[in-house]
């Protein structure tokens, strides 16, 4: 694997999907969106697990510390129900909280449904001695996943509310991960001018 390959962990957290009651939709939706949005080399590590806090924590630790993912996206388990423990597990393995991600995801979702205020998604950074990863909790529904990552656009494609993924590539830069570039038609990554690499025309 090239040093410039972005390694992304995708974790779908659902008692019923992990138990085979229905087909998981979270991981396929994430893979499809990320392949459309990221133009630089990309590889996935996927996990489908139940709503068990200890297992969620162990899976996140494994993906960051052993597999050495640069970005881990979870889907599911972020509501107020008793079995929804994804945020607690995510905070438990964190070395830094990144509250802006959760705030912005709720802003996007509130444009669609008033129940967005029931969402408890968090984002954190987990650091080891020589590695770090950004971990973001996303909603469980494919439509909501796309909306929170991409943001809201009007009929002409003008951004109305920013999606959270615009800030992800620069965050990964800052924690020592590979330089990821995006397809501007899907999601335009934002970096300060000093952090933008010139494209190699050779």
């Amino acid at each position: 694997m090239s040093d410039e390959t972005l390694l992304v962990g995708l974790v779908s957290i659902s008692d019923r999907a992990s138990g085979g009651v229905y087909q998981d939709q979270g991981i396929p939706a994430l893979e499809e969106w990320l392949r459309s949005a990221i133009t630089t080399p990309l590889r996935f590590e996927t996990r489908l697990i139940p709503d068990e806090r200890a297992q969620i924590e162990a899976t996140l630790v494994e993906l960051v510390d052993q597999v050495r993912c640069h970005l881990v996206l979870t889907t599911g388990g972020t509501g107020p129900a008793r079995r929804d423990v994804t945020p607690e597990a995510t905070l438990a393995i964190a070395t830094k909280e990144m509250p802006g991600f959760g705030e912005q995801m709720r802003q996007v979702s509130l444009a669609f449904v008033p129940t967005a205020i029931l969402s408890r998604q968090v984002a954190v950074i987990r650091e080891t001695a020589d590695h770090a990863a950004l971990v973001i909790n996303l909603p469980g529904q494919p439509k909501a996943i796309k909306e929170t990552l991409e943001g809201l656009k009007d009929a002409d494609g003008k951004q109305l509310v920013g999606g959270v993924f615009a800030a992800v590539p620069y965050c990964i830069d800052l924690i020592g991960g590979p330089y990821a570039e995006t397809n501007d038609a899907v999601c335009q990554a934002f970096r300060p001018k000093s952090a933008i690499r010139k494209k190699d025309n050779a």
Side-chain angles (χ1 to χ4, degrees):
M1 186 174 73
S2 156
D3 288 340
E4 289 299 299
T5 298
L6 181 69
L7 184 52
V8 182
L10 303 177
V11 185
S12 187
I13 299 155
S14 165
D15 286 334
R16 288 179 292 172
S18 64
V21 176
Y22 62 71
Q23 189 83 21
D24 172 60
Q25 294 183 311
I27 288 172
L30 281 167
E31 283 196 14
E32 181 184 8
W33 191 86
L34 289 164
R35 287 190 194 283
S36 73
I38 298 173
T39 58
T40 41
L42 179 66
R43 189 161 73 80
F44 298 115
E45 279 280 335
T46 63
R47 303 286 187 273
L48 177 56
I49 59 174
D51 292 279
E52 297 288 351
R53 178 169 165 175
Q55 192 169 350
I56 299 166
E57 288 181 27
T59 300
L60 297 178
V61 168
E62 179 225 351
L63 287 170
V64 177
D65 298 12
Q66 273 84 56
V67 181
R68 296 175 71 83
C69 292
H70 307 104
L71 172 66
V72 178
L73 301 176
T74 74
T75 172
T78 58
R82 285 179 185 265
R83 295 288 292 169
D84 289 336
V85 292
T86 301
E88 286 73 23
T90 303
L91 291 169
I93 61 92
T95 52
K96 287 188 175 84
E97 282 187 58
M98 302 294 287
F101 283 97
E103 292 162 8
Q104 187 63 15
M105 282 190 276
R106 283 180 281 278
Q107 281 299 310
V108 173
S109 297
L110 275 167
F112 295 96
V113 289
T115 49
I117 58 173
L118 303 179
S119 164
R120 303 185 304 113
Q121 286 117 317
V122 300
V124 304
I125 291 179
R126 177 173 172 83
E127 299 155 305
T128 64
D130 64 345
H131 184 68
L134 173 63
V135 182
I136 307 174
N137 299 156
L138 293 171
Q141 296 302 317
K143 181 175 178 286
I145 289 170
K146 182 177 188 292
E147 288 161 358
T148 52
L149 290 171
E150 203 169 304
L152 307 182
K153 295 172 183 169
D154 65 15
D156 300 321
K158 184 182 174 212
Q159 196 87 36
L160 299 173
V161 182
V164 296
F165 201 82
V168 168
Y170 185 51
C171 183
I172 292 170
D173 295 350
L174 293 173
I175 61 174
Y179 189 90
E181 295 190 64
T182 57
N183 173 2
D184 289 354
V186 177
C187 174
Q188 187 167 4
F190 179 84
R191 287 179 170 95
K193 283 183 181 167
S194 60
I196 297 172
R197 286 189 193 171
K198 288 189 171 63
K199 289 201 182 348
D200 185 3
N201 296 320

